[in-house]
Amino acid sequence: MTGPGSAAPGTVLAVRGLDVAFRVGRGRRARTVRAVTDADLDLRAGRLTALVGESGCGKSVLTEALTGLLPGTASIRGSALLTPPERSDPVELLTAPESVLRDRVRGRLVGLVPQSAATHFTPTRTVGAQLRETLARLGATATVADLLDRAALPRHVAALHPHELSGGQAQRAGLAAALAGDPPVLLADEPTAGLDRPLVDHVTTLLAGLAAEGRAVLLITHDLRAARAVADDVAVMYASRLVETGPADDVFAAPWHPYTAGLLGALPDAGFTPVPGHPPELSALPDGCAFAPRCPVSGDCSGDPVPVRRGGRSVSCHPPTAPALPAAARSGAGSR
């Protein structure tokens, strides 16, 4: 799924070595917030990738970097090459000027479903009017009815104002807007936050269906149950770093990283045992492995985590101290 070299087959968006940091405060109180650290991620056509992890680990910052929505205080390194299938030339998202992101990328090549979608609609205008305006701005041929159908919304929603929508309707209206330009990449940032379980299942099933139509879909969520139900691939993030990635079935069946195992152990059907302790602040990340203070198997984790890649899977850990990691991978630490 990931790796520093060539991208996996079918990759539409290849992220390599992405670092995002913010300088906050002034003078002696200034500090650096390391929001994303050395992230490698492939988003592939026809597959839904779930980016999971506890709140505040950097998941949303990663998507903001990909869409050029970070504030001016952010420093960014790495690459994010968008290669649209049969559409246009590749675009390097991290260095593209705002004019390119505005006119070529946002809405047309990359659709974004934001958190709390209702707040992104103008409160004094109907949903239908705003969807119609979005279609016109993008020069799209679809109709408002088409968008409502794609998002599994009844037609009468077009006549409603944002405050008249239920939570589930608001999230699906945000999805409808993101689909207006028929983008090959869809980034859904916590689209199920605040929804009850039936609505969570409904929204994630919709996203899985959109991936099945050929899109590369990134579902950002802290809901591991939802991710396990619909993801083709999974990326697990902890304290700014992707600690484990790979095919979802493989990762969920046999996690390599202790944090992934801890998240799965916190699910109700696995005993509901939470990961002990709390994640560190991104402005005060420790040296070495940030998970070591919470890790049940940590040993000498003072150095940077060692990336290990095998069979389409990747883990960033200290292999000699990770018993869940296959012996072949432990012996080949750092190999590709």
Side-chain angles (χ1 to χ4, degrees):
M1 175 186 167
T2 64
S6 59
T11 295
V12 181
L13 178 56
V15 179
R16 296 292 181 269
L18 176 60
D19 284 315
V20 180
F22 302 91
R23 190 69 172 169
V24 298
R26 294 184 179 181
R28 299 174 64 179
R29 295 187 176 182
R31 65 189 190 280
T32 299
V33 177
R34 293 160 52 193
V36 181
T37 302
D38 197 24
D40 291 345
L41 184 67
D42 288 346
L43 299 185
R44 300 162 62 187
R47 297 181 73 84
L48 185 151
T49 298
L51 176 57
V52 302
E54 293 164 290
S55 297
C57 67
K59 303 186 300 294
S60 294
V61 172
L62 188 149
T63 62
E64 290 167 355
L66 298 179
T67 50
L69 297 177
L70 290 173
T73 55
S75 62
I76 308 171
R77 293 188 301 176
S79 66
L81 187 64
L82 174 65
T83 307
E86 303 177 3
R87 298 219 180 182
S88 59
D89 294 333
V91 181
E92 173 47 63
L93 298 179
L94 303 186
T95 57
E98 172 58 25
S99 59
V100 171
L101 294 173
R102 181 189 64 233
D103 298 335
R104 286 189 57 196
V105 176
R106 296 191 199 111
R108 293 177 173 84
L109 298 178
V110 179
L112 176 63
V113 184
Q115 294 187 50
S116 304
T119 64
H120 291 260
F121 285 96
T122 302
T124 57
R125 303 179 62 208
T126 65
V127 171
Q130 295 180 70
L131 292 178
R132 195 172 298 109
E133 180 182 37
T134 301
L135 289 165
R137 178 174 55 83
L138 296 174
T141 58
T143 66
V144 170
D146 293 334
L147 297 183
L148 294 175
D149 289 345
R150 282 186 176 182
L153 282 167
R155 300 286 179 85
H156 76 266
V157 166
L160 300 180
H161 290 80
H163 72 274
E164 297 177 295
L165 303 179
S166 68
Q169 288 176 331
Q171 289 303 110
R172 282 176 283 162
L175 176 59
L179 292 171
D182 194 23
V185 177
L186 191 64
L187 309 179
D189 188 2
E190 296 283 5
T192 61
L195 302 184
D196 59 25
R197 180 53 55 183
L199 284 174
V200 168
D201 294 341
H202 187 62
V203 170
T204 53
T205 298
L206 280 174
L207 291 170
L210 293 168
E213 293 175 1
R215 294 177 183 82
V217 177
L218 180 66
L219 167 63
I220 298 171
T221 182
H222 61 267
D223 187 337
L224 204 64
R225 176 178 166 182
R228 191 171 60 174
V230 299
D232 299 297
D233 300 303
V234 65
V236 182
M237 197 169 200
Y238 183 79
S240 84
R241 190 182 294 272
L242 295 180
V243 296
E244 183 163 3
T245 64
D249 288 346
D250 295 342
V251 172
F252 291 142
W256 286 357
H257 197 281
Y259 178 60
T260 309
L263 289 178
L264 290 169
L267 291 173
D269 61 3
F272 210 18
T273 304
V275 180
H278 302 280
E281 295 290 335
L282 297 183
S283 60
L285 294 180
D287 294 331
C289 177
F291 186 62
R294 306 174 71 189
C295 182
V297 295
S298 64
D300 180 11
C301 299
S302 56
D304 286 337
V306 179
V308 177
R309 298 174 179 89
R310 283 289 187 277
R313 294 183 64 174
S314 173
V315 63
S316 184
C317 193
H318 291 78
T321 66
L325 192 63
R330 290 203 300 272
S331 65
S335 60
R336 305 300 191 248

